[in-house]
Amino acid sequence: MNTTTTMTLDDLKNLPPLTQKERQMIKNARPTPSDDCPAMTADELKEFKPWYAKSKKPVTINLDTGAILYFKELAEETGIGYQNLMNMYLVQCAKEKKRPVFV
């Protein structure tokens, strides 16, 4: 029987490295739909497409050092790349039609 264990980020960071056998087991794993996690239709999966779609365009932009450091620290905490975090935040701002506060 499978069990679920709740861990903090610190707990996860202190786990020992995976063995070769564990890596192979993960590599060979296949999804198993269940009542808790049913298979999704293509239409249902489209909702998530903006997060992985290849519709991104490379740009060059000058950013404040503090902003970059903030997102890099957040990247360390979440395990998500800082550029992806910045993009996610900008997409969220655009969807919510947020406006900058001029000081």
XYZ file of all heavy atoms in Angstrom:
823
model
N 0.844 -1.184 0.000
C 0.000 0.000 0.000
C 0.885 1.242 0.000
O 1.858 1.322 0.727
C -0.904 -0.029 1.227
C -1.769 1.184 1.361
S -2.840 1.017 2.797
C -3.668 2.540 2.684
N 0.545 2.205 -0.828
C 1.295 3.456 -0.888
C 0.893 4.353 0.272
O -0.269 4.410 0.642
C 1.025 4.189 -2.197
C 1.591 3.460 -3.390
O 2.559 2.722 -3.258
N 0.992 3.664 -4.536
N 1.859 5.065 0.805
C 1.575 6.037 1.849
C 2.107 7.385 1.415
O 3.046 7.479 0.630
C 2.233 5.637 3.190
O 3.642 5.538 2.992
C 1.685 4.327 3.705
N 1.490 8.431 1.927
C 1.915 9.787 1.625
C 2.608 10.359 2.849
O 2.105 10.246 3.955
C 0.697 10.664 1.257
O 0.047 10.074 0.138
C 1.129 12.077 0.915
N 3.760 10.967 2.627
C 4.510 11.592 3.706
C 4.611 13.080 3.432
O 4.962 13.483 2.322
C 5.933 10.994 3.794
O 5.825 9.592 3.976
C 6.701 11.602 4.949
N 4.282 13.888 4.420
C 4.403 15.331 4.289
C 5.785 15.746 4.776
O 6.219 15.331 5.837
C 3.311 16.037 5.118
O 2.046 15.574 4.684
C 3.394 17.539 4.946
N 6.472 16.565 3.951
C 7.816 17.007 4.310
C 7.941 18.500 4.057
O 7.266 19.047 3.188
C 8.858 16.266 3.465
C 8.807 14.761 3.580
S 10.000 13.960 2.505
C 11.398 13.919 3.599
N 8.803 19.124 4.808
C 9.109 20.532 4.570
C 10.185 20.617 3.496
O 10.816 19.615 3.144
C 9.619 21.214 5.849
O 10.889 20.636 6.197
C 8.638 21.070 6.997
N 10.412 21.815 2.994
C 11.463 22.015 2.001
C 12.819 21.644 2.596
O 13.650 21.037 1.923
C 11.460 23.463 1.518
C 12.385 23.795 0.372
C 12.100 22.915 -0.838
C 12.253 25.252 -0.021
N 13.049 21.963 3.874
C 14.308 21.594 4.522
C 14.462 20.081 4.583
O 15.554 19.548 4.383
C 14.389 22.191 5.930
C 14.616 23.690 5.907
O 15.206 24.190 4.923
O 14.203 24.360 6.867
N 13.354 19.364 4.868
C 13.400 17.900 4.885
C 13.815 17.365 3.523
O 14.632 16.446 3.417
C 12.036 17.301 5.260
C 11.612 17.600 6.693
O 12.494 17.836 7.538
O 10.399 17.587 6.949
N 13.226 17.948 2.477
C 13.537 17.493 1.120
C 14.995 17.748 0.770
O 15.643 16.932 0.123
C 12.624 18.187 0.105
C 11.155 17.789 0.155
C 10.337 18.682 -0.770
C 10.980 16.336 -0.229
N 15.512 18.899 1.193
C 16.902 19.237 0.890
C 17.873 18.283 1.570
O 18.986 18.086 1.096
C 17.202 20.674 1.327
C 16.565 21.717 0.441
C 16.888 23.107 0.948
C 16.230 24.179 0.093
N 16.470 25.524 0.635
N 17.463 17.688 2.700
C 18.347 16.816 3.466
C 18.202 15.341 3.109
O 18.822 14.491 3.750
C 18.105 17.018 4.965
C 18.538 18.400 5.425
O 19.534 18.925 4.947
N 17.794 18.990 6.326
N 17.393 15.019 2.103
C 17.259 13.625 1.692
C 18.564 13.147 1.053
O 19.253 13.907 0.380
C 16.119 13.473 0.678
C 14.708 13.581 1.235
C 13.702 13.553 0.087
C 14.410 12.461 2.208
N 18.897 11.858 1.238
C 20.103 11.350 0.581
C 19.889 11.269 -0.931
O 18.751 11.204 -1.395
C 20.262 9.951 1.193
C 18.898 9.576 1.651
C 18.212 10.855 2.027
N 20.957 11.269 -1.706
C 20.807 11.164 -3.156
C 20.158 9.829 -3.544
O 20.280 8.842 -2.818
C 22.237 11.244 -3.689
C 23.135 11.312 -2.525
C 22.332 11.362 -1.273
N 19.471 9.827 -4.674
C 18.830 8.602 -5.153
C 19.887 7.586 -5.579
O 20.926 7.949 -6.131
C 17.927 8.902 -6.353
C 16.700 9.763 -6.085
C 16.012 10.107 -7.408
C 15.732 9.063 -5.163
N 19.580 6.312 -5.334
C 20.459 5.252 -5.816
C 20.198 5.039 -7.301
O 19.189 5.508 -7.841
C 20.188 3.937 -5.070
O 18.857 3.507 -5.388
C 20.336 4.100 -3.561
N 21.089 4.312 -7.960
C 20.902 4.012 -9.388
C 19.616 3.213 -9.588
O 18.875 3.438 -10.544
C 22.117 3.232 -9.925
C 22.087 3.054 -11.420
C 22.094 4.380 -12.175
O 22.678 5.357 -11.746
N 21.425 4.410 -13.309
N 19.327 2.292 -8.675
C 18.108 1.479 -8.767
C 16.862 2.367 -8.658
O 15.900 2.202 -9.407
C 18.100 0.427 -7.660
C 16.919 -0.498 -7.694
C 16.987 -1.532 -6.588
C 15.757 -2.413 -6.596
N 15.779 -3.404 -5.510
N 16.877 3.335 -7.729
C 15.748 4.256 -7.572
C 15.577 5.133 -8.819
O 14.460 5.375 -9.261
C 15.946 5.130 -6.329
C 15.821 4.355 -5.031
C 16.294 5.154 -3.821
O 17.208 6.000 -3.969
O 15.750 4.919 -2.732
N 16.686 5.599 -9.386
C 16.619 6.402 -10.607
C 15.993 5.608 -11.751
O 15.180 6.123 -12.499
C 18.011 6.879 -11.022
C 18.584 7.939 -10.139
C 20.025 8.229 -10.567
N 20.690 9.058 -9.595
C 20.859 10.358 -9.720
N 20.440 10.978 -10.785
N 21.474 11.043 -8.787
N 16.399 4.333 -11.883
C 15.863 3.481 -12.941
C 14.378 3.231 -12.726
O 13.594 3.248 -13.668
C 16.625 2.151 -12.991
C 16.354 1.345 -14.233
C 16.778 2.071 -15.503
O 17.814 2.725 -15.557
N 15.975 1.963 -16.541
N 13.968 3.037 -11.477
C 12.562 2.807 -11.163
C 11.723 4.033 -11.550
O 10.650 3.902 -12.143
C 12.401 2.510 -9.660
C 11.011 2.076 -9.269
S 10.906 1.507 -7.564
C 11.084 3.034 -6.675
N 12.218 5.219 -11.260
C 11.509 6.452 -11.614
C 11.451 6.607 -13.131
O 10.414 6.948 -13.696
C 12.189 7.675 -10.955
C 11.991 7.617 -9.441
C 11.651 8.982 -11.532
C 12.842 8.598 -8.664
N 12.561 6.316 -13.787
C 12.626 6.442 -15.239
C 11.615 5.515 -15.920
O 11.017 5.867 -16.933
C 14.040 6.126 -15.715
C 14.254 6.290 -17.194
C 15.691 5.997 -17.570
C 15.880 6.102 -19.077
N 17.235 5.751 -19.457
N 11.408 4.332 -15.356
C 10.511 3.338 -15.947
C 9.067 3.469 -15.465
O 8.203 2.700 -15.911
C 11.012 1.927 -15.651
C 12.341 1.649 -16.323
O 12.652 2.215 -17.354
N 13.145 0.787 -15.715
N 8.789 4.404 -14.574
C 7.439 4.540 -14.015
C 6.444 4.940 -15.090
O 6.762 5.699 -16.007
C 7.443 5.562 -12.883
N 5.246 4.434 -14.978
C 4.161 4.770 -15.900
C 3.006 5.343 -15.092
O 2.761 4.918 -13.963
C 3.687 3.530 -16.667
C 4.748 2.911 -17.549
C 5.066 3.842 -18.728
N 6.164 3.357 -19.531
C 7.386 3.871 -19.523
N 7.683 4.880 -18.745
N 8.323 3.393 -20.297
N 2.264 6.305 -15.660
C 1.147 6.890 -14.915
C 0.060 5.854 -14.641
O -0.190 4.973 -15.459
C 0.635 7.990 -15.837
C 1.167 7.670 -17.188
C 2.410 6.855 -16.993
N -0.540 5.978 -13.488
C -1.629 5.098 -13.111
C -2.815 5.963 -12.711
O -2.865 6.471 -11.591
C -1.222 4.202 -11.906
O -0.002 3.551 -12.237
C -2.287 3.196 -11.585
N -3.783 6.181 -13.621
C -4.953 6.982 -13.262
C -5.700 6.350 -12.081
O -5.759 5.132 -11.949
C -5.828 6.958 -14.517
C -4.880 6.603 -15.626
C -3.830 5.737 -15.008
N -6.199 7.189 -11.223
C -6.960 6.711 -10.071
C -8.081 7.705 -9.804
O -8.195 8.733 -10.461
C -6.054 6.598 -8.839
O -5.665 7.892 -8.417
N -8.923 7.389 -8.833
C -9.999 8.306 -8.470
C -9.445 9.635 -7.984
O -10.040 10.683 -8.194
C -10.884 7.683 -7.386
C -11.668 6.488 -7.913
O -11.834 6.395 -9.149
O -12.107 5.661 -7.100
N -8.286 9.593 -7.315
C -7.671 10.817 -6.810
C -7.049 11.643 -7.925
O -6.916 12.850 -7.820
C -6.578 10.495 -5.789
C -7.152 9.932 -4.505
O -8.338 10.185 -4.241
O -6.417 9.243 -3.791
N -6.639 10.995 -8.994
C -5.956 11.675 -10.085
C -6.399 11.062 -11.410
O -5.655 10.311 -12.040
C -4.448 11.548 -9.901
S -3.523 12.506 -11.094
N -7.622 11.377 -11.847
C -8.118 10.771 -13.082
C -7.382 11.313 -14.304
O -6.815 12.402 -14.269
C -9.586 11.191 -13.107
C -9.639 12.439 -12.303
C -8.570 12.295 -11.245
N -7.400 10.524 -15.374
C -6.793 10.969 -16.625
C -7.564 12.193 -17.135
O -8.771 12.301 -16.942
C -6.850 9.844 -17.652
N -6.841 13.124 -17.766
C -7.474 14.345 -18.262
C -7.615 14.268 -19.772
O -6.770 13.692 -20.449
C -6.652 15.560 -17.858
C -6.573 15.748 -16.354
S -5.546 17.155 -15.887
C -6.671 18.480 -16.219
N -8.660 14.891 -20.279
C -8.858 14.960 -21.717
C -7.948 16.033 -22.304
O -7.410 16.880 -21.578
C -10.319 15.309 -22.057
O -10.575 16.654 -21.602
C -11.297 14.341 -21.412
N -7.804 16.016 -23.621
C -6.983 17.025 -24.294
C -7.523 18.429 -24.029
O -6.761 19.373 -23.824
C -6.937 16.744 -25.792
N -8.853 18.576 -24.005
C -9.449 19.895 -23.729
C -9.126 20.359 -22.319
O -8.870 21.539 -22.090
C -10.969 19.857 -23.931
C -11.357 19.827 -25.402
O -10.534 20.269 -26.235
O -12.473 19.380 -25.709
N -9.156 19.435 -21.359
C -8.831 19.803 -19.975
C -7.361 20.194 -19.856
O -7.012 21.111 -19.120
C -9.151 18.647 -19.032
C -10.634 18.384 -18.878
C -10.934 17.104 -18.130
O -10.194 16.108 -18.280
O -11.932 17.092 -17.382
N -6.492 19.516 -20.600
C -5.062 19.831 -20.542
C -4.729 21.174 -21.186
O -3.744 21.801 -20.828
C -4.258 18.717 -21.216
C -4.196 17.401 -20.443
C -3.570 16.320 -21.296
C -3.439 17.571 -19.140
N -5.573 21.634 -22.122
C -5.328 22.922 -22.787
C -5.272 24.068 -21.786
O -4.618 25.072 -22.026
C -6.417 23.201 -23.824
C -6.251 22.440 -25.094
C -7.353 22.798 -26.083
C -7.284 21.912 -27.307
N -8.411 22.165 -28.216
N -5.980 23.920 -20.672
C -5.984 24.958 -19.636
C -4.566 25.236 -19.135
O -4.236 26.353 -18.752
C -6.865 24.500 -18.470
C -6.900 25.449 -17.309
C -7.724 24.917 -16.148
O -8.534 24.004 -16.337
O -7.538 25.449 -15.043
N -3.696 24.237 -19.150
C -2.344 24.380 -18.624
C -1.329 24.761 -19.698
O -0.189 25.042 -19.400
C -1.896 23.074 -17.959
C -2.777 22.683 -16.810
C -3.743 21.703 -16.964
C -2.659 23.315 -15.589
C -4.568 21.357 -15.916
C -3.487 22.975 -14.533
C -4.443 21.994 -14.699
N -1.742 24.770 -20.956
C -0.820 25.001 -22.062
C 0.000 26.282 -21.930
O 1.182 26.269 -22.242
C -1.560 24.971 -23.395
C -0.619 25.016 -24.570
C -1.342 24.797 -25.865
C -0.331 24.827 -26.993
N -0.921 24.536 -28.262
N -0.571 27.403 -21.475
C 0.254 28.617 -21.407
C 1.528 28.458 -20.591
O 2.489 29.166 -20.807
C -0.671 29.645 -20.761
C -2.037 29.162 -21.070
C -1.937 27.653 -21.097
N 1.566 27.515 -19.652
C 2.737 27.374 -18.790
C 3.861 26.607 -19.460
O 4.998 26.689 -19.048
C 2.353 26.708 -17.471
C 1.324 27.503 -16.768
C 0.011 27.174 -16.595
C 1.477 28.793 -16.185
N -0.651 28.174 -15.940
C 0.231 29.184 -15.669
C 2.551 29.666 -16.047
C 0.028 30.397 -15.029
C 2.341 30.872 -15.406
C 1.094 31.226 -14.905
N 3.565 25.848 -20.500
C 4.641 25.108 -21.136
C 4.714 25.317 -22.646
O 5.586 24.766 -23.304
C 4.533 23.605 -20.836
C 3.322 22.934 -21.433
C 3.326 22.489 -22.739
C 2.171 22.746 -20.686
C 2.222 21.878 -23.292
C 1.061 22.136 -21.225
C 1.103 21.694 -22.528
O 0.007 21.082 -23.061
N 3.825 26.096 -23.183
C 3.788 26.305 -24.631
C 5.066 26.976 -25.114
O 5.709 27.722 -24.390
C 2.579 27.147 -25.011
N 5.404 26.707 -26.354
C 6.606 27.293 -26.954
C 6.296 28.654 -27.571
O 6.841 29.028 -28.591
C 7.167 26.345 -28.017
C 7.605 25.014 -27.492
C 8.847 25.157 -26.661
C 9.312 23.783 -26.199
N 10.438 23.832 -25.338
N 5.393 29.387 -26.951
C 5.014 30.693 -27.487
C 5.838 31.820 -26.860
O 5.478 32.968 -26.968
C 3.519 30.938 -27.250
O 3.260 30.956 -25.863
N 6.931 31.469 -26.239
C 7.770 32.485 -25.616
C 8.711 33.081 -26.653
O 9.117 32.425 -27.603
C 8.584 31.873 -24.477
C 7.728 31.406 -23.323
C 8.581 30.814 -22.232
C 7.725 30.332 -21.088
N 8.520 29.683 -20.054
N 9.043 34.355 -26.441
C 9.951 35.051 -27.342
C 11.130 35.564 -26.530
O 10.950 36.245 -25.521
C 9.219 36.226 -27.996
C 10.088 37.019 -28.932
C 9.319 38.136 -29.580
C 10.250 38.908 -30.493
N 9.537 39.935 -31.233
N 12.349 35.237 -26.926
C 13.507 35.746 -26.182
C 13.619 37.258 -26.330
O 13.414 37.797 -27.422
C 14.698 35.035 -26.818
C 14.212 34.471 -28.097
C 12.721 34.396 -28.043
N 13.912 37.931 -25.213
C 14.084 39.381 -25.213
C 15.291 39.747 -24.360
O 15.742 38.963 -23.536
C 12.830 40.120 -24.657
C 11.620 39.881 -25.524
C 12.552 39.708 -23.229
N 15.783 40.939 -24.570
C 16.827 41.492 -23.715
C 16.187 42.622 -22.935
O 15.515 43.476 -23.506
C 17.996 42.028 -24.557
O 18.510 40.957 -25.346
C 19.094 42.601 -23.677
N 16.369 42.611 -21.611
C 15.717 43.607 -20.757
C 16.657 43.967 -19.612
O 17.397 43.116 -19.112
C 14.367 43.058 -20.237
C 13.613 44.096 -19.422
C 14.561 41.780 -19.446
C 12.201 43.676 -19.053
N 16.652 45.218 -19.212
C 17.435 45.671 -18.062
C 16.528 45.659 -16.835
O 15.473 46.303 -16.837
C 17.977 47.081 -18.297
C 18.966 47.123 -19.442
O 19.805 46.245 -19.563
N 18.852 48.123 -20.295
N 16.939 44.925 -15.813
C 16.147 44.801 -14.590
C 16.968 45.248 -13.389
O 18.201 45.142 -13.391
C 15.711 43.342 -14.386
C 14.838 42.738 -15.472
C 14.680 41.244 -15.249
C 13.486 43.412 -15.508
N 16.279 45.713 -12.353
C 16.955 46.065 -11.107
C 17.593 44.824 -10.501
O 16.999 43.737 -10.501
C 15.958 46.641 -10.096
C 15.453 48.021 -10.480
O 16.071 48.667 -11.340
O 14.424 48.441 -9.917
N 18.789 44.988 -9.965
C 19.494 43.879 -9.339
C 18.673 43.267 -8.213
O 18.615 42.051 -8.067
C 20.857 44.352 -8.800
O 21.586 44.937 -9.874
C 21.649 43.202 -8.211
N 17.997 44.123 -7.448
C 17.178 43.624 -6.332
C 16.050 42.720 -6.801
O 15.737 41.715 -6.155
N 15.449 43.044 -7.937
C 14.367 42.219 -8.476
C 14.903 40.856 -8.896
O 14.289 39.817 -8.618
C 13.706 42.918 -9.659
N 16.065 40.860 -9.533
C 16.663 39.600 -9.961
C 17.010 38.740 -8.747
O 16.725 37.540 -8.713
C 17.917 39.856 -10.825
C 17.525 40.572 -12.114
C 18.639 38.546 -11.130
C 18.701 41.107 -12.905
N 17.607 39.356 -7.729
C 17.968 38.607 -6.518
C 16.727 38.035 -5.837
O 16.747 36.898 -5.356
C 18.740 39.505 -5.548
C 20.147 39.899 -5.995
C 20.763 40.901 -5.010
C 21.027 38.670 -6.132
N 15.652 38.812 -5.802
C 14.403 38.333 -5.198
C 13.919 37.063 -5.900
O 13.611 36.054 -5.260
C 13.318 39.411 -5.263
C 11.958 38.885 -4.868
C 11.637 38.683 -3.536
C 11.023 38.562 -5.849
C 10.399 38.170 -3.179
C 9.781 38.058 -5.495
C 9.471 37.869 -4.159
O 8.254 37.351 -3.813
N 13.875 37.090 -7.233
C 13.384 35.929 -7.974
C 14.363 34.760 -7.901
O 13.947 33.597 -7.920
C 13.051 36.299 -9.417
C 11.710 36.974 -9.540
C 11.605 38.344 -9.623
C 10.542 36.219 -9.551
C 10.366 38.966 -9.726
C 9.299 36.833 -9.648
C 9.209 38.207 -9.738
N 15.651 35.028 -7.791
C 16.620 33.941 -7.633
C 16.444 33.257 -6.277
O 16.548 32.033 -6.171
C 18.048 34.450 -7.811
C 18.394 34.684 -9.270
C 19.860 35.022 -9.456
C 20.202 35.109 -10.934
N 21.630 35.340 -11.173
N 16.181 34.048 -5.230
C 15.920 33.465 -3.905
C 14.633 32.638 -3.934
O 14.575 31.551 -3.378
C 15.827 34.563 -2.839
C 17.157 35.203 -2.513
C 17.025 36.395 -1.579
O 15.914 36.655 -1.057
O 18.041 37.090 -1.373
N 13.614 33.168 -4.590
C 12.349 32.452 -4.725
C 12.552 31.157 -5.514
O 11.955 30.122 -5.199
C 11.316 33.347 -5.404
C 9.867 32.908 -5.366
C 9.371 32.709 -3.939
C 8.999 33.938 -6.081
N 13.438 31.201 -6.501
C 13.756 30.009 -7.287
C 14.383 28.925 -6.408
O 14.070 27.740 -6.542
C 14.684 30.372 -8.435
N 15.271 29.341 -5.499
C 15.890 28.390 -4.567
C 14.834 27.706 -3.701
O 14.901 26.512 -3.457
C 16.906 29.111 -3.670
C 18.151 29.560 -4.377
C 19.123 28.427 -4.606
O 19.216 27.529 -3.758
O 19.789 28.442 -5.663
N 13.851 28.484 -3.247
C 12.800 27.948 -2.372
C 11.856 27.009 -3.112
O 11.417 26.006 -2.555
C 11.968 29.085 -1.773
C 12.695 29.960 -0.801
C 11.850 31.148 -0.368
O 10.613 31.053 -0.395
O 12.445 32.183 -0.002
N 11.535 27.345 -4.349
C 10.495 26.617 -5.071
C 11.028 25.542 -6.001
O 10.292 24.637 -6.377
C 9.642 27.580 -5.913
O 10.479 28.200 -6.897
C 8.974 28.626 -5.046
N 12.298 25.657 -6.409
C 12.838 24.715 -7.376
C 12.450 25.057 -8.810
O 12.691 24.283 -9.720
N 11.849 26.222 -9.012
C 11.475 26.692 -10.346
C 12.501 27.738 -10.751
O 12.877 28.588 -9.953
C 10.060 27.312 -10.340
C 9.030 26.288 -9.876
C 9.703 27.877 -11.709
C 7.648 26.880 -9.626
N 12.958 27.699 -11.986
C 13.959 28.657 -12.462
C 13.484 30.102 -12.304
O 12.302 30.395 -12.470
N 14.422 30.991 -11.996
C 14.031 32.383 -11.731
C 13.425 33.056 -12.951
O 12.512 33.869 -12.831
C 15.197 33.191 -11.149
C 16.232 33.648 -12.144
C 16.185 34.925 -12.678
C 17.270 32.810 -12.536
C 17.140 35.364 -13.570
C 18.220 33.239 -13.431
C 18.159 34.512 -13.950
O 19.099 34.938 -14.845
N 13.899 32.709 -14.152
C 13.321 33.314 -15.354
C 11.883 32.829 -15.554
O 11.016 33.601 -15.961
C 14.179 33.016 -16.574
C 15.514 33.740 -16.530
C 16.376 33.441 -17.741
O 16.154 32.472 -18.458
N 17.388 34.276 -17.950
N 11.646 31.556 -15.270
C 10.275 31.041 -15.360
C 9.376 31.709 -14.327
O 8.216 32.019 -14.612
C 10.244 29.528 -15.190
C 10.747 28.800 -16.418
O 10.632 29.301 -17.531
N 11.314 27.633 -16.211
N 9.892 31.934 -13.124
C 9.109 32.622 -12.090
C 8.771 34.045 -12.528
O 7.638 34.502 -12.353
C 9.865 32.653 -10.759
C 9.936 31.338 -10.007
C 10.905 31.452 -8.833
C 8.556 30.933 -9.515
N 9.747 34.742 -13.098
C 9.488 36.102 -13.583
C 8.414 36.080 -14.665
O 7.502 36.908 -14.662
C 10.770 36.732 -14.135
C 11.782 37.095 -13.095
S 13.273 37.728 -13.903
C 13.949 38.719 -12.584
N 8.519 35.121 -15.577
C 7.532 35.015 -16.646
C 6.147 34.715 -16.071
O 5.154 35.322 -16.476
C 7.943 33.938 -17.650
C 6.982 33.873 -18.811
O 6.834 34.832 -19.556
N 6.308 32.748 -18.946
N 6.084 33.776 -15.121
C 4.793 33.433 -14.509
C 4.162 34.661 -13.868
O 2.957 34.899 -13.998
C 4.984 32.318 -13.462
C 5.312 30.964 -14.065
S 5.901 29.742 -12.869
C 4.525 29.627 -11.770
N 4.982 35.461 -13.181
C 4.468 36.655 -12.522
C 3.976 37.678 -13.543
O 2.907 38.264 -13.386
C 5.535 37.268 -11.611
C 5.020 38.473 -10.872
C 4.099 38.318 -9.842
C 5.418 39.752 -11.209
C 3.600 39.419 -9.169
C 4.927 40.856 -10.546
C 4.017 40.676 -9.524
O 3.512 41.769 -8.879
N 4.743 37.873 -14.613
C 4.333 38.828 -15.639
C 3.058 38.375 -16.347
O 2.175 39.194 -16.641
C 5.461 39.046 -16.648
C 6.674 39.808 -16.096
C 7.821 39.770 -17.102
C 6.306 41.229 -15.734
N 2.931 37.082 -16.611
C 1.707 36.552 -17.221
C 0.522 36.793 -16.293
O -0.552 37.216 -16.718
C 1.857 35.048 -17.557
C 0.529 34.414 -17.916
C 2.856 34.866 -18.693
N 0.735 36.548 -14.990
C -0.330 36.779 -14.003
C -0.732 38.256 -13.993
O -1.929 38.568 -13.983
C 0.146 36.341 -12.620
C -0.878 36.544 -11.527
C -0.328 36.160 -10.155
O 0.717 35.537 -10.045
N -1.033 36.537 -9.121
N 0.243 39.148 -14.002
C -0.047 40.588 -14.023
C -0.853 40.956 -15.261
O -1.810 41.733 -15.192
C 1.245 41.395 -13.981
S 2.074 41.371 -12.387
N -0.467 40.410 -16.407
C -1.167 40.721 -17.656
C -2.604 40.202 -17.616
O -3.532 40.906 -18.029
C -0.412 40.119 -18.838
N -2.792 38.990 -17.105
C -4.142 38.423 -17.029
C -5.037 39.251 -16.121
O -6.219 39.431 -16.385
C -4.093 36.981 -16.523
C -3.669 35.983 -17.561
C -3.702 34.573 -17.000
C -3.289 33.559 -18.041
N -3.270 32.198 -17.517
N -4.460 39.745 -15.025
C -5.227 40.525 -14.052
C -5.239 42.016 -14.407
O -5.787 42.822 -13.668
C -4.655 40.309 -12.650
C -4.793 38.875 -12.176
C -4.112 38.621 -10.839
O -3.644 39.593 -10.188
O -4.040 37.449 -10.444
N -4.603 42.359 -15.516
C -4.520 43.749 -15.988
C -4.010 44.694 -14.895
O -4.521 45.789 -14.696
C -5.875 44.209 -16.530
C -6.344 43.374 -17.717
C -7.496 44.017 -18.429
C -8.032 43.192 -19.559
N -7.121 42.721 -20.551
N -2.972 44.219 -14.182
C -2.368 45.041 -13.135
C -1.633 46.213 -13.771
O -1.076 46.097 -14.852
C -1.400 44.205 -12.288
C -2.088 43.215 -11.399
C -1.109 42.563 -10.461
C -1.827 41.629 -9.515
N -0.919 41.028 -8.558
N -1.627 47.326 -13.085
C -0.949 48.532 -13.542
C 0.165 48.855 -12.540
O -0.018 48.698 -11.346
C -1.919 49.700 -13.623
C -3.211 49.407 -14.387
C -3.005 49.310 -15.841
N -2.987 50.650 -16.384
C -2.788 50.916 -17.649
N -2.614 49.948 -18.502
N -2.768 52.154 -18.094
N 1.299 49.346 -13.013
C 2.367 49.717 -12.082
C 1.981 50.914 -11.236
O 1.184 51.764 -11.678
C 3.556 50.040 -12.989
C 2.959 50.344 -14.318
C 1.655 49.599 -14.401
N 2.550 50.981 -10.065
C 2.355 52.134 -9.186
C 3.561 53.042 -9.387
O 4.698 52.636 -9.151
C 2.252 51.704 -7.704
C 2.130 52.913 -6.809
C 1.092 50.752 -7.512
N 3.317 54.248 -9.868
C 4.402 55.189 -10.128
C 4.625 56.020 -8.880
O 3.730 56.701 -8.399
C 4.073 56.091 -11.325
C 3.902 55.314 -12.595
C 2.633 55.004 -13.070
C 5.010 54.872 -13.293
C 2.477 54.284 -14.230
C 4.861 54.145 -14.467
C 3.592 53.836 -14.938
N 5.839 55.981 -8.351
C 6.147 56.688 -7.110
C 7.016 57.881 -7.411
O 7.875 57.887 -8.210
C 6.871 55.754 -6.109
C 6.984 56.420 -4.757
C 6.179 54.432 -6.000
